[in-house]
Amino acid sequence: MSDTVIIGAGIIGCATAYYLSESTPTKASSIHLVEVSPELFASASGKSGGFLASDWFSPSVAPLGELSFKLHKELAENNDGKRKWGYSPSTGASLSEDAQNTGSRQQRGEDWLRHGSSRAEVAGTHSFKDGAGPAWLTQRKGQTIETIGMDDTVAQV
């Protein structure tokens, strides 16, 4: 069996190494990942913040994006990904503000970080309420929220 060298240790390189190591009957005897960056999370994989989506791709790469999302989901289901690396189906939302409101910011309320808590803890839920966004999100006049991805198409790791 020959050695395999994979150039790039981002999500694509790591996933390629993983699936190559699991493939049968040609399990690689040695797999090497080569990464040019001297720091972790320096490129696209690191900057995505663990966001996964199945249907947010241009037509030319849509099948690859859908397959990638499916494989992430299967990997998490088969290896307790929720507990081991925080895989979590999510809901994607877009919050926009009326141009009139962007010039002057209103008082945001209590400083949650200073008090060692979070708005999410106070709300006690991360679910969307009546299509108005997550329960922990306080909206101001002129803001609109749109659901742009649901549990079956969006996830976070």
Side-chain angles (χ1 to χ4, degrees), residues 7-140:
I7 308 300
I11 192 65
I12 301 298
C14 290
T16 301
Y18 172 79
Y19 284 104
L20 183 60
S21 75
E22 294 294 308
S23 67
T24 54
T26 59
K27 286 196 176 196
S29 61
S30 179
I31 300 171
H32 304 273
L33 286 163
V34 178
E35 175 59 53
V36 69
S37 177
E39 60 187 74
L40 295 174
F41 316 115
S43 297
S45 294
K47 304 235 186 296
S48 72
F51 178 76
L52 306 168
S54 68
D55 57 357
W56 291 25
F57 299 91
S58 64
S60 62
V61 293
L64 182 60
E66 193 172 334
L67 175 62
S68 174
F69 184 82
K70 177 181 172 251
L71 292 174
H72 273 284
K73 184 176 180 181
E74 287 176 5
L75 190 64
E77 289 170 350
N78 295 337
N79 296 281
D80 195 16
K82 180 176 183 167
R83 183 181 62 80
K84 290 182 178 175
W85 60 84
Y87 178 88
S88 176
S90 302
T91 300
S94 174
L95 177 67
S96 58
E97 190 164 20
D98 187 347
Q100 295 176 16
N101 294 335
T102 58
S104 64
R105 298 283 178 205
Q106 299 173 355
Q107 180 70 21
R108 296 188 68 94
E110 186 175 348
D111 186 342
W112 301 98
L113 292 175
R114 184 173 294 152
H115 298 292
S117 64
S118 77
R119 294 174 73 178
E121 289 172 356
V122 173
T125 181
H126 293 279
S127 62
F128 273 51
K129 56 179 183 181
D130 303 324
W136 50 263
L137 178 65
T138 302
Q139 294 185 45
R140 296 190 306 255

Side-chain angles (χ1 to χ4, degrees), residues 141-156:
K141 183 179 178 183
Q143 290 181 330
T144 57
I145 190 159
E146 176 186 2
T147 301
I148 54 178
M150 297 301 285
D151 284 355
D152 57 341
T153 65
V154 179
Q156 189 81 26

